[in-house]
Amino acid sequence: MNRIIALYIWAVGMFSAIMLSACVEDGFSTNPSDQPQLSADTLRLGLVFTGEGTPTHLFKIHNRHDKGMIVSSLRVRDDAWRDVFRFNVDGMAGRDFTDVEIRANDSIFVLVEATLPENGAQLPVEINAPVDIVVNGLTSTIVLNAFGRDVTRMHEPRIQSDTRWESTKPIQIFDSLVVEPGATLTLGAGQQLCFHAGAYMRVYGKLVAEGTPEAPVDIAGDRFDQVVGSIPYDIMSGQWGGIEFMPGSTGNRMSHTVVRNTTWGVEVSGEGANPQLPVLTLVNCRLRNSAANVLTVTGASVRAIGCELAEAADNVVEAGEGSHLVINHCTLANYYLFSAVNGAMVYVAADDAAGDISNSIIYGNGGIVSPGDLFGYDFYLRTSLLKPNGSDDDNFLAIMWGQDPMFYTVRSDYYFDYRLREGSPAIGAADPALTLREAAVDFFGNERGAEPDLGAYVYVPESDSL
């Protein structure tokens, strides 16, 4: 019996020694040479409006060592920025953290949000806030980088009399922007409208956008960060509704204006097309990234000159019942990124739709012109480049069939630039007799000259164009 008791005591002692050894092995290092590894030296939060919370960003703190470590302090270095940034460290929310444990060969997540204060500047102001992480008496640092821009916020604005917006600040629209009958909203050069999710613009009166090559009018969603990875919201459709021109609205004109990231694009509805009284004239505009059509016209006359119309899940341009379209020196392209393309570049949806497309480029994924045989339609394509092989007929005149316009666009890199590269067959291929007066210069202010190029953009050498 005594021998059994002795063996039991010996076994307990050995187990305790083993456990003690394990505890020692799993203890926390105090060696200054044992330091964490940060997943980045700079965490970029991007451009955000002041007074508005940023999306959540994160970085990791890795412990690559065989013992645990203690983060004795994690905090923003400068007191001026301490209330701007909010953290969640390994599940704990706060601004300053002490004695945070990281197990051996493990890591923790640090989530970061910020609300940047107003800065009173016309342009975005950059903030760089170092975050100091102290382990074993030594400090590692990651810099929180953000750009804050002041903004004017409007909820359901109603334009009831002639109004001009020419602000150095972007205007953020919530819900809807409505231009009432009899009123004109004029957007000065460089004006930026940022529509929140679900917001839209509806025009019963008149819209005039006076962008210039140096200061285009910009109408888009209000997100500036990344959708995921390296995909920016700048190319993401469906962020806000779009622009509707309602029956009774006439004389709308948009010059050097960008409209992007919409759900339904630009829709123009009239009470019977009158070619002499266009509801909407687009000159050197860029309409792109729509989850449906880019431009839809029903019962109205629309002129698009020098425009880029691109990236649609459905049709790029839809000519509905009773519509009349003039499209001159435009680039219609579709490399829509987020779903299969369901429509055509040009969809003639009704047999009484009339149109004239000239000196243009129609190229990309999906259908090109639907129906492909326009016999009997008052719809013509002249001196333009089309992707498929084909032959001229009564509706397709002097067409450059089956040629690659050689855009700079690289869809797989999320890069969409529809200017022409050197060697493009579209260079010098336009008919100057078909160039309308308003197409004398392109979006960037380049003159078309006596031997104009097809499409929206004038070719210039690569070193000068990009």
Side-chain angles (χ1 to χ4, degrees):
M1 177 66 69
N2 290 336
R3 178 177 294 182
I4 293 174
I5 294 174
L7 286 173
Y8 175 77
I9 294 173
W10 176 84
V12 169
M14 290 297 295
F15 178 77
S16 299
I18 293 171
M19 292 301 296
L20 179 61
S21 174
C23 290
V24 171
E25 288 299 314
D26 288 340
F28 294 96
S29 170
T30 58
N31 189 339
S33 65
D34 290 343
Q35 290 296 308
Q37 181 180 6
L38 307 183
S39 59
D41 56 11
T42 301
L43 184 65
R44 302 187 187 280
L45 279 65
L47 173 65
V48 294
F49 288 141
T50 58
E52 185 173 299
T54 68
T56 301
H57 296 259
L58 70 86
F59 66 93
K60 292 182 181 181
I61 304 176
H62 298 279
N63 177 8
R64 306 294 191 191
H65 305 283
D66 293 333
K67 287 188 176 183
M69 62 174 51
I70 302 289
V71 177
S72 57
S73 174
L74 185 154
R75 67 197 300 264
V76 175
R77 180 185 304 169
D78 301 324
D79 290 341
W81 302 124
R82 188 152 300 137
D83 291 337
V84 169
F85 296 94
R86 301 175 298 280
F87 298 90
N88 186 298
V89 178
D90 203 27
M92 298 179 293
R95 285 184 166 83
D96 294 348
F97 297 84
T98 59
D99 298 331
V100 179
E101 299 180 5
I102 309 178
R103 293 179 179 178
N105 298 302
D106 202 351
S107 60
I108 60 172
F109 289 91
V110 180
L111 308 182
V112 183
E113 296 177 341
T115 301
L116 305 184
E118 290 191 9
N119 50 55
Q122 295 184 6
L123 298 176
V125 172
E126 184 176 12
I127 292 174
N128 287 293
V131 176
D132 291 334
I133 301 164
V134 181
V135 173
N136 295 335
L138 298 181
T139 300
S140 302
T141 300
I142 183 171
V143 175
L144 305 181
N145 174 268
F147 290 82
R149 187 167 190 187
D150 288 352
V151 64
T152 298
R153 294 181 173 87
M154 294 187 179
H155 293 263
E156 295 188 278
R158 296 294 183 267
I159 307 302
Q160 298 177 325
S161 60
D162 292 354
T163 301
R164 184 179 184 86
W165 287 350
E166 198 163 21
S167 172
T168 56
K169 294 182 182 180
I171 297 175
Q172 188 178 27
I173 306 295
F174 292 85
D175 303 310
S176 60
L177 164 60
V178 176
V179 182
E180 301 286 5
T184 298
L185 173 61
T186 301
L187 304 176
Q191 182 63 68
Q192 186 176 3
L193 301 185
C194 302
F195 285 80
H196 196 62
Y200 59 89
M201 182 189 302
R202 182 169 291 159
V203 181
Y204 294 94
K206 183 189 296 186
L207 175 67
V208 177
E210 299 176 342
T212 66
E214 298 76 22
V217 171
D218 189 47
I219 305 175
D222 63 354
R223 295 290 300 271
F224 304 101
D225 53 315
Q226 307 298 107
V227 181
V228 63
S230 61
I231 303 177
Y233 270 96
D234 183 63
I235 64 171
M236 181 71 177
S237 67
Q239 294 184 46
W240 61 289
I243 304 177
E244 298 174 307
F245 294 91
M246 306 304 292
S249 174
T250 60
N252 299 281
R253 183 180 178 87
M254 302 169 71
S255 177
H256 291 89
T257 299
V258 179
V259 181
R260 66 185 189 277
N261 316 129
T262 60
T263 298
W264 63 75
V266 174
E267 295 185 349
V268 186
S269 301
E271 297 171 336
N274 184 341
Q276 306 305 316
L277 295 173
V279 172
L280 175 62
T281 298
L282 301 164
V283 178
N284 292 331
C285 292
R286 300 173 68 192
L287 278 55
R288 59 186 182 92
N289 295 340
S290 171
N293 298 338
V294 169
L295 175 64
T296 305
V297 184
T298 305
S301 177
V302 171
R303 301 170 76 241
I305 301 165
C307 295
E308 175 191 311
L309 309 171
E311 317 307 348
D314 292 333
N315 305 301
V316 174
V317 175
E318 180 173 324
E321 183 177 358
S323 62
H324 186 280
L325 276 71
V326 173
I327 296 177
N328 181 247
H329 275 290
C330 289
T331 295
L332 281 65
N334 204 356
Y335 289 94
Y336 188 73
L337 191 63
F338 301 103
S339 72
V341 176
N342 297 316
M345 302 284 186
V346 180
Y347 175 43
V348 185
D351 57 12
D352 65 345
D356 184 278
I357 300 176
S358 58
N359 283 351
S360 295
I361 296 172
I362 305 176
Y363 198 88
N365 297 332
I368 301 299
V369 179
S370 178
D373 184 355
L374 294 173
F375 180 76
Y377 287 77
D378 186 18
F379 211 103
Y380 303 92
L381 289 83
R382 299 182 289 159
T383 315
S384 295
L385 183 153
L386 274 64
K387 181 178 181 180
N389 293 316
S391 58
D392 289 0
D393 58 23
D394 290 343
N395 298 91
F396 294 83
L397 309 169
I399 299 300
M400 187 177 290
W401 296 98
Q403 298 290 313
D404 183 348
M406 298 175 63
F407 298 135
Y408 281 100
T409 293
V410 182
R411 185 175 183 267
S412 59
D413 292 339
Y414 317 122
Y415 183 70
F416 300 89
D417 186 334
Y418 292 109
R419 287 174 285 183
L420 305 174
R421 290 188 285 117
E422 183 178 358
S424 168
I427 298 172
D431 182 349
L434 297 177
T435 299
L436 298 179
R437 176 181 56 83
E438 292 164 298
V441 299
D442 71 1
F443 181 88
F444 299 99
N446 301 308
E447 295 185 1
R448 295 195 189 276
E451 298 181 356
D453 307 327
L454 295 177
Y457 303 116
V458 174
Y459 166 74
V460 294
E462 180 175 350
S463 60
D464 299 328
S465 63
L466 298 179

